[in-house]
Amino acid sequence: MSQEVLQKLQQHLGENVLEVHDHRGDETATIEAKTLHDTCRWLKKTAGLEFDMLVDLTVVDYLEQGRTPRFEVVYHLYSIAQKHRLRLKVGIETDTPEVDTVSDLWRNANWCEREAWDLYGISFRNHPELRRILLYEEFEGHPLRKDYPKAKRQPLVRRPREEFEAVVRGSGIGNKRTLI
Amino acid sequence: MGLEFTTGRLADTVSWARKYSLFQYPFVTACCGMEFMAVWGPRFDIARFGAEFPRFSPRQADLLMVVGTITERQAPILKRIYEQICEPKWVVSFGVCASSGGFYQNYSVTPGIDLVIPVDVYIPGCPPTPEQILDALVMLQKKIQDRDTWSQRNYEIQEWTKKQAEGTLAKR
């Protein structure tokens, strides 16, 4: 059933479908980023397809595989009416990690895209409120990118242990033997 | 009964009273909370140690139980809660996440709450067993009796400094 969806998608988009993959029901299509929003609208509105639910929206960073484009945004779609699934992939360039928002089509994409912005720094064009959702505003960088240093911490408050010890041991008193 | 009175230092008596009436503020953020709830139940019964009553306002509590993972985003909240508790106050770091960050060695988790607030007793384990919690409580009671906690030592230093400035320090 979902293979029909892939065929329809290929007929509709022609050469804008870069790659399709189909193995035991995980129908996947990689498409051109510039056609993303129109394609999503078409997938949602066309009778017989009716992808009315965005199950998940994630990003993959292929830095270590050395792939170009480096980022890939993945959309997991499901049709409650037709009971079929489709996975859409869009490659994103490194220097301008930007893609159209789909939050006007699926409301939950709003938060998913904010999360993608927060952790991967993918910017979504025309998003109503693109700001961090999980991390704090003071955080610099996007920690799930593969070039983010693993050991880097960005604390909001920190009182080092030495300071506590200075409070109590600084004067050389305060342990049990020198109680008042 | 020949024994009609005992002698002792006032500070010891006060500590004795304090250690058997700990009012805890449970700062529960993660799965450790399940074991923590078990300690409140009849099987392990933390009430035997006089520490069964949770206060859900830090202003009414004197024992801060930090149960679970503390993220960098939450650390300022924890610090603020700690500062709201009246002296004398005690902190128990419950489980490896609170004590050291545990297996979350990443950008988001504070590697040990003792970077943010002073801690008196650490409980290891993921999660700790109820017996460990009771053991930690007894250790804390011993520290309170010995006036060896951060809060009590800090207080005594302030008193000592004050008396030294006034010249009223008792000769030993």
Short mmCIF file of all heavy atoms in Angstrom, two decimals, chain A residues 119 133-136 139 143-144 148 152-161 164-165 167-169 171 173-174 176 178-180, chain B residues 9 72-73 75-76 79 104-111 114-118 142 146-148 150 153-154 156-157 159-160 163 172:
data_model
loop_
_atom_site.label_atom_id
_atom_site.label_comp_id
_atom_site.label_asym_id
_atom_site.label_seq_id
_atom_site.Cartn_x
_atom_site.Cartn_y
_atom_site.Cartn_z
N LEU A 119 19.06 21.74 19.38
CA LEU A 119 20.12 20.75 19.51
C LEU A 119 21.00 20.63 18.28
O LEU A 119 22.15 20.20 18.37
CB LEU A 119 19.51 19.39 19.87
CG LEU A 119 18.67 19.41 21.16
CD1 LEU A 119 18.05 18.05 21.39
CD2 LEU A 119 19.49 19.81 22.35
N ILE A 133 14.07 25.23 23.14
CA ILE A 133 12.94 24.63 23.86
C ILE A 133 13.42 23.81 25.04
O ILE A 133 12.78 23.78 26.09
CB ILE A 133 12.07 23.80 22.90
CG1 ILE A 133 10.80 23.31 23.59
CG2 ILE A 133 12.84 22.64 22.30
CD1 ILE A 133 9.80 22.72 22.65
N LEU A 134 14.56 23.12 24.91
CA LEU A 134 15.03 22.27 26.01
C LEU A 134 16.13 22.96 26.81
O LEU A 134 16.10 22.96 28.05
CB LEU A 134 15.57 20.94 25.47
CG LEU A 134 14.53 20.03 24.83
CD1 LEU A 134 15.21 18.86 24.17
CD2 LEU A 134 13.55 19.54 25.85
N LEU A 135 17.09 23.55 26.14
CA LEU A 135 18.18 24.19 26.85
C LEU A 135 17.83 25.62 27.20
O LEU A 135 16.80 26.15 26.77
CB LEU A 135 19.45 24.15 25.99
CG LEU A 135 19.99 22.74 25.76
CD1 LEU A 135 20.96 22.73 24.62
CD2 LEU A 135 20.64 22.23 27.01
N TYR A 136 18.71 26.24 27.97
CA TYR A 136 18.45 27.60 28.45
C TYR A 136 18.97 28.61 27.43
O TYR A 136 19.83 28.31 26.62
CB TYR A 136 19.08 27.80 29.81
CG TYR A 136 20.36 27.03 30.04
CD1 TYR A 136 21.60 27.60 29.82
CD2 TYR A 136 20.31 25.70 30.45
CE1 TYR A 136 22.76 26.87 30.01
CE2 TYR A 136 21.45 24.97 30.64
CZ TYR A 136 22.68 25.55 30.42
OH TYR A 136 23.82 24.84 30.60
N PHE A 139 22.72 29.24 26.70
CA PHE A 139 23.55 28.19 26.12
C PHE A 139 24.08 28.62 24.76
O PHE A 139 23.36 29.19 23.94
CB PHE A 139 22.71 26.91 25.97
CG PHE A 139 23.51 25.67 25.81
CD1 PHE A 139 23.86 24.93 26.93
CD2 PHE A 139 23.93 25.23 24.58
CE1 PHE A 139 24.61 23.78 26.81
CE2 PHE A 139 24.66 24.08 24.44
CZ PHE A 139 25.01 23.36 25.56
N PRO A 143 24.38 21.30 20.96
CA PRO A 143 25.18 20.21 21.52
C PRO A 143 25.10 18.87 20.81
O PRO A 143 25.98 18.05 21.00
CB PRO A 143 24.65 20.09 22.95
CG PRO A 143 23.29 20.65 22.90
CD PRO A 143 23.31 21.73 21.88
N LEU A 144 24.08 18.60 20.01
CA LEU A 144 24.05 17.30 19.36
C LEU A 144 24.78 17.29 18.02
O LEU A 144 24.85 16.26 17.36
CB LEU A 144 22.61 16.81 19.18
CG LEU A 144 21.91 16.37 20.46
CD1 LEU A 144 20.66 15.58 20.13
CD2 LEU A 144 22.80 15.55 21.36
N TYR A 148 30.48 19.36 18.45
CA TYR A 148 30.38 19.98 19.77
C TYR A 148 31.26 19.20 20.73
O TYR A 148 31.16 17.97 20.80
CB TYR A 148 28.93 19.99 20.25
CG TYR A 148 28.72 20.75 21.53
CD1 TYR A 148 28.46 22.11 21.52
CD2 TYR A 148 28.79 20.10 22.77
CE1 TYR A 148 28.27 22.81 22.69
CE2 TYR A 148 28.62 20.80 23.94
CZ TYR A 148 28.35 22.15 23.89
OH TYR A 148 28.18 22.84 25.06
N LYS A 152 32.40 19.58 27.12
CA LYS A 152 32.13 21.01 27.38
C LYS A 152 30.87 21.17 28.24
O LYS A 152 29.84 20.57 27.97
CB LYS A 152 31.95 21.74 26.05
CG LYS A 152 31.88 23.23 26.20
CD LYS A 152 31.82 23.90 24.85
CE LYS A 152 31.60 25.39 25.01
NZ LYS A 152 31.33 26.02 23.72
N ARG A 153 31.00 21.98 29.29
CA ARG A 153 29.86 22.28 30.17
C ARG A 153 29.60 23.77 30.14
O ARG A 153 30.54 24.56 30.04
CB ARG A 153 30.15 21.87 31.61
CG ARG A 153 30.44 20.42 31.81
CD ARG A 153 29.18 19.60 31.65
NE ARG A 153 29.31 18.30 32.27
CZ ARG A 153 30.01 17.31 31.78
NH1 ARG A 153 30.68 17.45 30.67
NH2 ARG A 153 30.07 16.15 32.41
N GLN A 154 28.35 24.15 30.27
CA GLN A 154 28.01 25.57 30.31
C GLN A 154 27.12 25.84 31.52
O GLN A 154 25.92 26.03 31.39
CB GLN A 154 27.31 25.99 29.02
CG GLN A 154 28.16 25.73 27.81
CD GLN A 154 27.59 26.37 26.56
OE1 GLN A 154 26.91 27.38 26.60
NE2 GLN A 154 27.89 25.78 25.42
N PRO A 155 27.71 25.83 32.71
CA PRO A 155 26.89 25.95 33.93
C PRO A 155 26.31 27.35 34.09
O PRO A 155 26.93 28.34 33.70
CB PRO A 155 27.88 25.62 35.04
CG PRO A 155 29.20 25.91 34.47
CD PRO A 155 29.13 25.65 33.01
N LEU A 156 25.13 27.39 34.70
CA LEU A 156 24.51 28.68 35.01
C LEU A 156 24.99 29.19 36.36
O LEU A 156 25.22 30.38 36.54
CB LEU A 156 22.99 28.54 35.03
CG LEU A 156 22.32 28.34 33.69
CD1 LEU A 156 20.84 28.09 33.88
CD2 LEU A 156 22.52 29.54 32.81
N VAL A 157 25.08 28.32 37.34
CA VAL A 157 25.65 28.68 38.64
C VAL A 157 26.71 27.66 38.98
O VAL A 157 26.59 26.49 38.64
CB VAL A 157 24.61 28.69 39.79
CG1 VAL A 157 23.66 29.83 39.63
CG2 VAL A 157 23.89 27.39 39.87
N ARG A 158 27.75 28.10 39.62
CA ARG A 158 28.74 27.14 40.07
C ARG A 158 29.50 27.76 41.22
O ARG A 158 30.02 28.85 41.15
CB ARG A 158 29.68 26.77 38.93
CG ARG A 158 30.62 25.67 39.31
CD ARG A 158 30.76 24.64 38.25
NE ARG A 158 29.49 23.97 37.97
CZ ARG A 158 29.36 23.04 37.05
NH1 ARG A 158 30.37 22.71 36.31
NH2 ARG A 158 28.21 22.46 36.85
N ARG A 159 29.50 27.05 42.32
CA ARG A 159 30.30 27.48 43.46
C ARG A 159 31.27 26.36 43.69
O ARG A 159 30.90 25.29 44.15
CB ARG A 159 29.39 27.64 44.69
CG ARG A 159 29.43 29.02 45.28
CD ARG A 159 28.52 29.08 46.45
NE ARG A 159 29.27 28.99 47.69
CZ ARG A 159 28.70 28.94 48.88
NH1 ARG A 159 27.41 28.92 48.99
NH2 ARG A 159 29.44 28.90 49.96
N PRO A 160 32.53 26.53 43.33
CA PRO A 160 33.44 25.39 43.40
C PRO A 160 33.59 24.85 44.82
O PRO A 160 33.36 25.56 45.79
CB PRO A 160 34.76 25.94 42.88
CG PRO A 160 34.60 27.38 42.80
CD PRO A 160 33.17 27.74 42.87
N ARG A 161 33.97 23.59 44.90
CA ARG A 161 34.13 22.95 46.20
C ARG A 161 35.09 23.71 47.08
O ARG A 161 34.90 23.81 48.29
CB ARG A 161 34.68 21.53 45.99
CG ARG A 161 33.70 20.54 45.45
CD ARG A 161 34.32 19.16 45.46
NE ARG A 161 33.41 18.17 44.94
CZ ARG A 161 33.30 17.88 43.66
NH1 ARG A 161 34.03 18.50 42.77
NH2 ARG A 161 32.47 16.95 43.23
N PHE A 164 33.46 26.27 49.33
CA PHE A 164 32.83 25.74 50.54
C PHE A 164 33.87 25.47 51.60
O PHE A 164 33.69 25.77 52.78
CB PHE A 164 32.13 24.42 50.26
CG PHE A 164 31.00 24.52 49.31
CD1 PHE A 164 30.84 23.58 48.33
CD2 PHE A 164 30.08 25.55 49.42
CE1 PHE A 164 29.79 23.65 47.46
CE2 PHE A 164 29.03 25.63 48.54
CZ PHE A 164 28.89 24.68 47.56
N GLU A 165 34.94 24.87 51.14
CA GLU A 165 35.96 24.49 52.11
C GLU A 165 36.60 25.72 52.70
O GLU A 165 36.95 25.74 53.88
CB GLU A 165 36.97 23.56 51.45
CG GLU A 165 36.30 22.24 51.11
CD GLU A 165 37.20 21.26 50.42
OE1 GLU A 165 38.37 21.58 50.22
OE2 GLU A 165 36.71 20.17 50.09
N VAL A 167 35.09 28.43 53.33
CA VAL A 167 34.16 28.96 54.33
C VAL A 167 34.43 28.32 55.68
O VAL A 167 34.48 28.97 56.71
CB VAL A 167 32.70 28.70 53.90
CG1 VAL A 167 31.75 28.99 55.03
CG2 VAL A 167 32.37 29.52 52.69
N VAL A 168 34.62 27.02 55.67
CA VAL A 168 34.72 26.29 56.93
C VAL A 168 36.16 26.13 57.40
O VAL A 168 36.48 26.32 58.56
CB VAL A 168 34.03 24.92 56.78
CG1 VAL A 168 34.31 24.05 57.97
CG2 VAL A 168 32.55 25.12 56.63
N ARG A 169 37.07 25.84 56.47
CA ARG A 169 38.43 25.52 56.90
C ARG A 169 39.37 26.70 56.78
O ARG A 169 40.51 26.61 57.21
CB ARG A 169 38.98 24.37 56.04
CG ARG A 169 38.16 23.12 56.19
CD ARG A 169 39.00 21.88 56.01
NE ARG A 169 38.14 20.71 56.10
CZ ARG A 169 37.52 20.16 55.08
NH1 ARG A 169 37.68 20.65 53.87
NH2 ARG A 169 36.75 19.10 55.24
N SER A 171 39.82 29.46 58.25
CA SER A 171 40.46 29.98 59.45
C SER A 171 41.21 28.88 60.20
O SER A 171 41.76 29.14 61.26
CB SER A 171 39.40 30.61 60.34
OG SER A 171 38.36 29.69 60.52
N ILE A 173 39.93 26.43 61.73
CA ILE A 173 39.15 25.90 62.85
C ILE A 173 37.88 25.28 62.29
O ILE A 173 37.66 25.27 61.10
CB ILE A 173 38.76 27.00 63.85
CG1 ILE A 173 37.97 28.07 63.09
CG2 ILE A 173 39.96 27.55 64.54
CD1 ILE A 173 37.09 28.87 63.98
N GLY A 174 37.06 24.76 63.19
CA GLY A 174 35.77 24.30 62.75
C GLY A 174 35.63 22.80 62.70
O GLY A 174 34.54 22.30 62.55
N LYS A 176 35.95 19.01 64.59
CA LYS A 176 35.40 18.58 65.88
C LYS A 176 36.28 18.95 67.07
O LYS A 176 35.80 19.28 68.13
CB LYS A 176 35.21 17.07 65.86
CG LYS A 176 33.86 16.64 65.41
CD LYS A 176 33.68 15.17 65.62
CE LYS A 176 34.42 14.37 64.56
NZ LYS A 176 34.17 12.93 64.66
N THR A 178 38.11 21.44 67.68
CA THR A 178 38.21 22.84 68.10
C THR A 178 36.84 23.49 68.26
O THR A 178 36.67 24.66 67.96
CB THR A 178 39.05 23.65 67.09
OG1 THR A 178 38.46 23.47 65.81
CG2 THR A 178 40.47 23.22 67.08
N LEU A 179 35.87 22.70 68.71
CA LEU A 179 34.56 23.30 68.95
C LEU A 179 34.63 24.27 70.11
O LEU A 179 35.47 24.15 71.00
CB LEU A 179 33.54 22.22 69.26
CG LEU A 179 33.18 21.30 68.10
CD1 LEU A 179 32.28 20.21 68.58
CD2 LEU A 179 32.52 22.09 67.01
N ILE A 180 33.74 25.23 70.10
CA ILE A 180 33.74 26.23 71.17
C ILE A 180 33.22 25.59 72.45
O ILE A 180 32.19 24.96 72.43
CB ILE A 180 32.82 27.42 70.80
CG1 ILE A 180 33.27 27.99 69.48
CG2 ILE A 180 32.83 28.47 71.88
CD1 ILE A 180 32.20 28.80 68.80
N ARG B 9 26.37 19.12 77.91
CA ARG B 9 26.45 20.45 77.33
C ARG B 9 25.17 20.78 76.59
O ARG B 9 24.55 19.89 75.99
CB ARG B 9 27.64 20.51 76.37
CG ARG B 9 28.90 20.42 77.16
CD ARG B 9 30.18 20.38 76.38
NE ARG B 9 30.15 20.62 74.96
CZ ARG B 9 31.22 21.03 74.30
NH1 ARG B 9 32.34 21.28 74.93
NH2 ARG B 9 31.18 21.19 73.01
N GLU B 72 21.97 21.23 34.34
CA GLU B 72 22.54 22.57 34.46
C GLU B 72 21.44 23.62 34.48
O GLU B 72 21.56 24.67 35.10
CB GLU B 72 23.49 22.85 33.29
CG GLU B 72 24.70 21.93 33.21
CD GLU B 72 25.75 22.23 34.26
OE1 GLU B 72 25.43 22.91 35.25
OE2 GLU B 72 26.88 21.77 34.11
N ARG B 73 20.36 23.33 33.77
CA ARG B 73 19.27 24.28 33.74
C ARG B 73 18.55 24.36 35.09
O ARG B 73 17.99 25.38 35.45
CB ARG B 73 18.27 23.86 32.65
CG ARG B 73 17.26 24.93 32.36
CD ARG B 73 16.38 24.50 31.22
NE ARG B 73 15.39 25.53 30.96
CZ ARG B 73 14.53 25.50 29.96
NH1 ARG B 73 14.56 24.52 29.12
NH2 ARG B 73 13.66 26.45 29.79
N ALA B 75 20.03 23.68 38.07
CA ALA B 75 20.93 23.98 39.17
C ALA B 75 20.61 25.31 39.88
O ALA B 75 20.65 25.37 41.11
CB ALA B 75 22.37 23.95 38.67
N PRO B 76 20.30 26.39 39.15
CA PRO B 76 19.95 27.63 39.86
C PRO B 76 18.73 27.48 40.75
O PRO B 76 18.66 28.09 41.83
CB PRO B 76 19.68 28.63 38.74
CG PRO B 76 20.26 28.06 37.52
CD PRO B 76 20.28 26.60 37.69
N LYS B 79 19.77 25.72 43.91
CA LYS B 79 20.52 26.62 44.78
C LYS B 79 19.58 27.57 45.51
O LYS B 79 19.73 27.84 46.70
CB LYS B 79 21.51 27.42 43.93
CG LYS B 79 22.47 28.21 44.78
CD LYS B 79 23.47 28.94 43.95
CE LYS B 79 24.41 29.71 44.87
NZ LYS B 79 25.21 30.66 44.15
N TYR B 104 25.43 10.21 33.12
CA TYR B 104 25.17 11.34 32.23
C TYR B 104 26.40 12.24 32.18
O TYR B 104 26.45 13.29 32.80
CB TYR B 104 23.98 12.17 32.71
CG TYR B 104 22.69 11.41 32.76
CD1 TYR B 104 22.13 11.07 33.97
CD2 TYR B 104 22.02 11.07 31.60
CE1 TYR B 104 20.92 10.40 34.03
CE2 TYR B 104 20.83 10.39 31.65
CZ TYR B 104 20.29 10.07 32.87
OH TYR B 104 19.11 9.39 32.92
N GLN B 105 27.43 11.81 31.47
CA GLN B 105 28.60 12.67 31.31
C GLN B 105 28.42 13.46 30.03
O GLN B 105 29.02 13.15 29.01
CB GLN B 105 29.87 11.83 31.30
CG GLN B 105 30.07 11.01 32.55
CD GLN B 105 30.27 11.87 33.79
OE1 GLN B 105 30.89 12.92 33.71
NE2 GLN B 105 29.73 11.45 34.92
N ASN B 106 27.57 14.47 30.07
CA ASN B 106 27.29 15.19 28.82
C ASN B 106 27.05 16.67 29.10
O ASN B 106 27.27 17.17 30.20
CB ASN B 106 26.10 14.56 28.10
CG ASN B 106 24.85 14.60 28.92
OD1 ASN B 106 24.77 15.30 29.91
ND2 ASN B 106 23.85 13.88 28.50
N TYR B 107 26.58 17.38 28.07
CA TYR B 107 26.44 18.83 28.13
C TYR B 107 25.37 19.29 29.09
O TYR B 107 25.35 20.44 29.49
CB TYR B 107 26.13 19.36 26.73
CG TYR B 107 24.83 18.81 26.16
CD1 TYR B 107 23.64 19.49 26.34
CD2 TYR B 107 24.80 17.60 25.48
CE1 TYR B 107 22.46 18.97 25.85
CE2 TYR B 107 23.63 17.09 25.00
CZ TYR B 107 22.46 17.78 25.18
OH TYR B 107 21.30 17.27 24.72
N SER B 108 24.43 18.41 29.45
CA SER B 108 23.22 18.91 30.10
C SER B 108 23.18 18.68 31.60
O SER B 108 22.42 19.35 32.29
CB SER B 108 21.99 18.27 29.46
OG SER B 108 22.02 16.88 29.67
N VAL B 109 23.96 17.74 32.13
CA VAL B 109 23.78 17.34 33.52
C VAL B 109 24.92 17.89 34.39
O VAL B 109 26.09 17.81 34.01
CB VAL B 109 23.69 15.81 33.64
CG1 VAL B 109 23.65 15.37 35.09
CG2 VAL B 109 22.47 15.31 32.92
N THR B 110 24.56 18.44 35.54
CA THR B 110 25.55 18.93 36.50
C THR B 110 26.33 17.75 37.06
O THR B 110 25.73 16.84 37.63
CB THR B 110 24.85 19.66 37.65
OG1 THR B 110 24.03 20.68 37.10
CG2 THR B 110 25.86 20.27 38.59
N PRO B 111 27.66 17.75 36.93
CA PRO B 111 28.42 16.60 37.46
C PRO B 111 28.60 16.70 38.98
O PRO B 111 29.67 16.96 39.48
CB PRO B 111 29.75 16.69 36.71
CG PRO B 111 29.85 18.09 36.26
CD PRO B 111 28.50 18.71 36.23
N ASP B 114 27.39 18.97 44.50
CA ASP B 114 28.27 19.69 45.41
C ASP B 114 29.04 20.79 44.69
O ASP B 114 29.78 21.54 45.32
CB ASP B 114 29.20 18.73 46.16
CG ASP B 114 29.92 17.82 45.20
OD1 ASP B 114 29.75 17.99 43.99
OD2 ASP B 114 30.66 16.94 45.68
N LEU B 115 28.86 20.90 43.37
CA LEU B 115 29.37 22.07 42.67
C LEU B 115 28.46 23.28 42.88
O LEU B 115 28.84 24.40 42.57
CB LEU B 115 29.50 21.78 41.18
CG LEU B 115 30.56 20.75 40.81
CD1 LEU B 115 30.43 20.38 39.36
CD2 LEU B 115 31.94 21.29 41.08
N VAL B 116 27.25 23.02 43.36
CA VAL B 116 26.27 24.09 43.49
C VAL B 116 25.95 24.39 44.95
O VAL B 116 25.89 25.56 45.36
CB VAL B 116 24.98 23.72 42.71
CG1 VAL B 116 23.99 24.84 42.76
CG2 VAL B 116 25.31 23.38 41.27
N ILE B 117 25.73 23.36 45.73
CA ILE B 117 25.44 23.53 47.16
C ILE B 117 26.30 22.55 47.96
O ILE B 117 26.73 21.53 47.43
CB ILE B 117 23.93 23.26 47.46
CG1 ILE B 117 23.53 21.87 46.96
CG2 ILE B 117 23.06 24.33 46.86
CD1 ILE B 117 22.15 21.48 47.37
N PRO B 118 26.58 22.86 49.24
CA PRO B 118 27.36 21.91 50.04
C PRO B 118 26.54 20.69 50.43
O PRO B 118 25.36 20.81 50.73
CB PRO B 118 27.75 22.72 51.28
CG PRO B 118 26.80 23.83 51.34
CD PRO B 118 26.27 24.08 49.97
N LYS B 142 24.47 11.09 63.10
CA LYS B 142 25.71 11.09 63.85
C LYS B 142 26.47 12.40 63.60
O LYS B 142 27.02 13.00 64.54
CB LYS B 142 26.56 9.90 63.44
CG LYS B 142 27.80 9.74 64.28
CD LYS B 142 28.54 8.48 63.97
CE LYS B 142 29.77 8.33 64.88
NZ LYS B 142 30.58 9.53 64.94
N ASP B 146 27.50 15.23 66.29
CA ASP B 146 28.89 15.67 66.44
C ASP B 146 29.08 17.13 66.02
O ASP B 146 30.21 17.62 66.05
CB ASP B 146 29.81 14.78 65.60
CG ASP B 146 29.86 13.37 66.14
OD1 ASP B 146 29.44 13.19 67.30
OD2 ASP B 146 30.32 12.48 65.42
N ARG B 147 28.06 17.76 65.54
CA ARG B 147 28.10 19.12 65.00
C ARG B 147 29.17 19.21 63.91
O ARG B 147 30.00 20.11 63.90
CB ARG B 147 28.35 20.14 66.11
CG ARG B 147 27.10 20.31 66.95
CD ARG B 147 27.34 21.21 68.10
NE ARG B 147 28.18 20.59 69.10
CZ ARG B 147 28.95 21.25 69.93
NH1 ARG B 147 29.04 22.55 69.86
NH2 ARG B 147 29.67 20.60 70.83
N ASP B 148 29.12 18.25 63.01
CA ASP B 148 30.16 18.14 61.99
C ASP B 148 29.60 18.41 60.60
O ASP B 148 30.25 18.15 59.61
CB ASP B 148 30.75 16.72 62.05
CG ASP B 148 32.10 16.67 61.38
OD1 ASP B 148 32.71 17.73 61.20
OD2 ASP B 148 32.53 15.57 61.02
N TRP B 150 28.12 20.87 57.42
CA TRP B 150 28.55 22.16 56.87
C TRP B 150 27.87 23.31 57.60
O TRP B 150 28.51 24.28 58.00
CB TRP B 150 28.20 22.25 55.39
CG TRP B 150 29.05 21.41 54.51
CD1 TRP B 150 28.67 20.27 53.87
CD2 TRP B 150 30.41 21.64 54.16
NE1 TRP B 150 29.72 19.77 53.15
CE2 TRP B 150 30.80 20.60 53.30
CE3 TRP B 150 31.34 22.62 54.49
CZ2 TRP B 150 32.07 20.50 52.76
CZ3 TRP B 150 32.61 22.52 53.95
CH2 TRP B 150 32.96 21.48 53.10
N ARG B 153 29.07 23.68 61.30
CA ARG B 153 30.46 24.14 61.39
C ARG B 153 30.58 25.60 60.98
O ARG B 153 31.30 26.38 61.60
CB ARG B 153 31.35 23.26 60.51
CG ARG B 153 31.55 21.90 61.11
CD ARG B 153 32.01 20.92 60.10
NE ARG B 153 33.41 21.11 59.76
CZ ARG B 153 34.07 20.31 58.93
NH1 ARG B 153 33.45 19.31 58.37
NH2 ARG B 153 35.33 20.53 58.67
N ASN B 154 29.83 25.94 59.94
CA ASN B 154 29.82 27.33 59.51
C ASN B 154 29.35 28.25 60.63
O ASN B 154 29.95 29.30 60.91
CB ASN B 154 28.89 27.44 58.29
CG ASN B 154 29.12 28.72 57.53
OD1 ASN B 154 30.08 29.43 57.79
ND2 ASN B 154 28.24 29.01 56.61
N GLU B 156 29.47 27.66 63.85
CA GLU B 156 30.42 27.72 64.96
C GLU B 156 31.62 28.60 64.62
O GLU B 156 32.18 29.27 65.49
CB GLU B 156 30.86 26.31 65.35
CG GLU B 156 29.65 25.54 65.85
CD GLU B 156 30.00 24.37 66.73
OE1 GLU B 156 31.20 24.14 66.94
OE2 GLU B 156 29.08 23.71 67.21
N ILE B 157 32.00 28.60 63.34
CA ILE B 157 33.08 29.49 62.94
C ILE B 157 32.68 30.94 63.10
O ILE B 157 33.45 31.78 63.59
CB ILE B 157 33.48 29.22 61.48
CG1 ILE B 157 34.27 27.93 61.43
CG2 ILE B 157 34.33 30.33 60.93
CD1 ILE B 157 34.46 27.45 60.05
N GLU B 159 30.49 32.12 65.18
CA GLU B 159 30.48 32.41 66.62
C GLU B 159 31.90 32.61 67.15
O GLU B 159 32.19 33.54 67.91
CB GLU B 159 29.81 31.25 67.37
CG GLU B 159 28.33 31.19 67.20
CD GLU B 159 27.63 32.35 67.87
OE1 GLU B 159 27.66 32.44 69.10
OE2 GLU B 159 27.07 33.21 67.14
N TRP B 160 32.79 31.74 66.72
CA TRP B 160 34.18 31.79 67.17
C TRP B 160 34.82 33.11 66.75
O TRP B 160 35.47 33.78 67.55
CB TRP B 160 34.94 30.61 66.55
CG TRP B 160 36.31 30.39 67.10
CD1 TRP B 160 36.62 29.63 68.18
CD2 TRP B 160 37.53 30.92 66.60
NE1 TRP B 160 37.97 29.65 68.40
CE2 TRP B 160 38.56 30.44 67.44
CE3 TRP B 160 37.87 31.75 65.53
CZ2 TRP B 160 39.90 30.76 67.24
CZ3 TRP B 160 39.20 32.07 65.33
CH2 TRP B 160 40.20 31.58 66.18
N LYS B 163 33.38 35.95 68.84
CA LYS B 163 33.91 35.97 70.21
C LYS B 163 35.36 36.40 70.22
O LYS B 163 35.80 37.11 71.14
CB LYS B 163 33.75 34.59 70.85
CG LYS B 163 32.34 34.30 71.27
CD LYS B 163 32.25 33.00 72.01
CE LYS B 163 30.81 32.71 72.40
NZ LYS B 163 30.64 31.41 73.01
N ARG B 172 40.85 27.49 77.13
CA ARG B 172 40.75 26.06 77.31
C ARG B 172 41.94 25.55 78.11
O ARG B 172 42.99 26.10 78.07
CB ARG B 172 40.73 25.28 75.99
CG ARG B 172 40.70 26.06 74.78
CD ARG B 172 40.56 25.23 73.54
NE ARG B 172 39.52 25.82 72.73
CZ ARG B 172 38.39 25.21 72.44
NH1 ARG B 172 38.18 24.01 72.89
NH2 ARG B 172 37.49 25.80 71.72
#
